[in-house]
Amino acid sequence: MAQLSPDEGGAENAARAPDTLATVLSLGAGLLAVIAIIYGCAWLIRRMSGMTGMNNNAIRVVSVMAIGARERIALVEVGGQQILLGITPSAIRTLQVFEEPVVDAGNPPDSDFARRLQSMIGKSWTAPKRKD
């Protein structure tokens, strides 16, 4: 085997240094390009969500309250009616449909909502009987 003199070994290391620098710069540029594409796609999706023709004001979440780690109660306004929903990871159930709005959706909920909700919890969760 031929032994390399110290001068030849230094030249070999010097030749590798630009390759390493070029590789790092290439990887960095690729990473920046991928991040720019992700941000561009997010911007495009946000921009196009308004053009889908969907009426986002038709359903409004008025209030949400956590019951457990993954369970929630939500008061949703749809078509002028407010609906109390029970939400679990596996199902969404209607708990109560209110004839009159419980909370004004334009104003933040106050303790009156909590009082009315507590009074409804004490009652049966069946739908109100029709008086024909």
Side-chain angles (χ1 to χ4, degrees):
M1 286 182 93
Q3 289 188 346
L4 295 175
S5 67
D7 292 336
E8 291 174 4
E12 186 177 319
N13 287 338
R16 285 187 195 162
D19 290 340
T20 306
L21 182 62
T23 302
V24 169
L25 289 176
S26 173
L27 288 173
L31 179 63
L32 288 176
V34 168
I35 291 172
I37 289 171
I38 290 172
Y39 276 111
C41 288
W43 176 81
L44 188 62
I45 289 170
R46 273 196 321 256
R47 187 100 163 118
M48 297 194 77
S49 68
M51 297 180 195
T52 59
M54 292 188 301
N55 185 1
N56 294 334
N57 295 329
I59 299 174
R60 183 177 319 170
V61 177
V62 177
S63 181
V64 177
M65 182 170 62
I67 300 298
R70 299 171 67 190
E71 295 81 19
R72 309 235 184 286
I73 291 180
L75 184 65
V76 179
E77 185 173 307
V78 179
Q81 274 192 325
Q82 290 184 346
I83 303 168
L84 188 64
L85 301 173
I87 303 168
T88 65
S90 61
I92 298 175
R93 295 194 177 142
T94 302
L95 301 177
Q96 181 73 31
V97 177
F98 295 102
E99 298 298 325
E100 298 176 359
V102 178
V103 175
D104 182 14
N107 297 330
D110 57 355
S111 62
D112 185 39
F113 169 70
R115 220 175 300 116
R116 287 188 185 182
L117 181 60
Q118 186 64 35
S119 70
M120 294 304 297
I121 289 174
K123 294 181 182 178
S124 172
W125 288 112
T126 59
K129 303 284 187 232
R130 293 184 64 178
K131 298 174 186 172
D132 290 330

